[in-house]
Amino acid sequence: MAATRIANAMIQKYQPAELADVKVLYVHAHGPGILASKKSVKTLADLKGLKVRATGLSAKIVESLGGTPVAMSQPETYEALSKGVVDATLCPIETLKGWKQGEAIEYVVDSSAIGYTTAMFVVMNKDKWAKLPADVQKVFTEVSQEWIAKHGEAWDQADQAGRAFVTELKRQFIHLPEAEQQQWKAAVKPVLDGFVAGAKAKNLAGEAFLADIQAEIARAPAAK
C-alpha cells in the first residue's frame, strides 16, 4: 500500500517528463523485494558470490551487496532455481506463490530494509482524454483515486498470500538484526548516490526526490 501511495504522490509532485505524452490515471507498486534463497543468508558476507536472479534496479542492488546478478524473466526463474542456475531471487514475496518459486527455495530473508519496488502505470491516450466530456473525465479521475488504495491493498493481500504459502511449505524465515540491516543499507547507498548524481547531471531534482521518498517511507514503516 505504501509503495503505491508514495509512487502516486511523487508523480503528482514531480510530473516526470517521461509521462508527459499520456494522461496518467494512477500507478501502483508491488511490495518490498525480499531475498528468497536456496542457501542460508544471515550476513552480508553470505551474499558474496551468490547468484541471484535480478534485473534492472534489483540487479544493481544485488551487485552492491556482493552478489552476482543473473537476469531472466519470472517464467524462467523457477527452473533456474530448481537446477541451480541461480541460488536465489530478489523479488516481492507474492512471487513465491504466484510463480510457485517458494517450492524451489529454502529460506526467505527479510531484506525489506533495502527492498526495491517497481511502479506500474495505468494511463490513457492524451488525445482521447481531451475529447472526453468534463463530467466523464471527473468520473475517471475519482475512480482512479479510489483505485490507488484498492490496488495497493491488492498487492498487500498478494504478499500475505505469498507469506502464507511459504509458511505452509515450512520454509525458514531469516530476520536480519538491526546492525546487519544497517550494513546492508550502507552497502546499497552507492546505488542511491548514483541516482542522485545522474539526476543532477540532467538538471533534475534527484536529491529532493529521494529525500521525499525516504521521508514518506519513514512515516509508514509498517507498510513499506
Side-chain angles (χ1 to χ4, degrees):
M1 170 64 81
T4 294
R5 178 181 58 77
I6 294 169
N8 280 279
M10 294 303 101
I11 285 176
Q12 182 66 32
K13 180 174 181 177
Y14 287 93
Q15 299 289 316
E18 291 86 349
L19 296 173
D21 292 336
V22 294
K23 169 61 182 177
V24 178
L25 298 178
Y26 73 97
V27 298
H28 57 97
H30 64 63
I34 50 88
L35 186 71
S37 177
K38 299 176 70 172
K39 300 178 180 180
S40 176
V41 176
K42 295 183 177 180
T43 68
L44 199 57
D46 292 337
L47 272 161
K48 187 172 178 60
L50 198 75
K51 294 177 293 184
V52 184
R53 182 267 175 193
T55 60
L57 173 61
S58 60
K60 293 181 181 179
I61 293 172
V62 168
E63 196 167 25
S64 69
L65 293 171
T68 302
V70 181
M72 66 182 67
S73 65
Q74 286 292 4
E76 298 174 280
T77 306
Y78 184 103
E79 186 174 3
L81 285 165
S82 299
K83 293 185 175 180
V85 175
V86 294
D87 305 306
T89 176
L90 191 62
C91 61
I93 199 168
E94 59 88 13
T95 305
L96 301 185
K97 180 180 181 180
W99 293 93
K100 303 297 184 184
Q101 292 166 12
E103 298 174 350
I105 55 96
E106 296 297 330
Y107 302 91
V108 179
V109 184
D110 182 7
S111 55
S112 57
I114 53 91
Y116 76 101
T117 187
T118 302
M120 292 152 275
F121 54 82
V122 180
V123 300
M124 279 187 67
N125 178 286
K126 211 166 188 178
D127 292 335
K128 296 293 185 182
W129 171 262
K131 292 177 182 178
L132 292 175
D135 59 334
V136 176
Q137 288 183 347
K138 183 173 182 290
V139 171
F140 268 90
T141 299
E142 291 174 350
V143 171
S144 295
Q145 286 299 306
E146 291 175 8
W147 271 88
I148 292 174
K150 289 179 182 292
H151 218 141
E153 289 171 2
W155 279 115
D156 286 351
Q157 291 166 4
D159 276 354
Q160 291 165 11
R163 182 173 295 276
F165 180 71
V166 288
T167 299
E168 290 171 8
L169 292 174
K170 301 189 185 306
R171 299 308 185 234
Q172 183 176 336
F173 286 82
I174 296 175
H175 300 281
L176 302 175
E178 180 62 28
E180 189 65 31
Q181 290 185 40
Q182 292 304 318
Q183 288 190 47
W184 289 43
K185 289 173 74 172
V188 302
K189 188 175 182 298
V191 177
L192 302 180
D193 292 342
F195 164 76
V196 171
K200 186 176 181 180
K202 298 175 183 178
N203 293 317
L204 297 174
E207 190 170 7
F209 180 78
L210 179 60
D212 279 347
I213 291 176
Q214 291 173 328
E216 289 290 341
I217 290 173
R219 279 194 281 269
K224 287 187 282 188

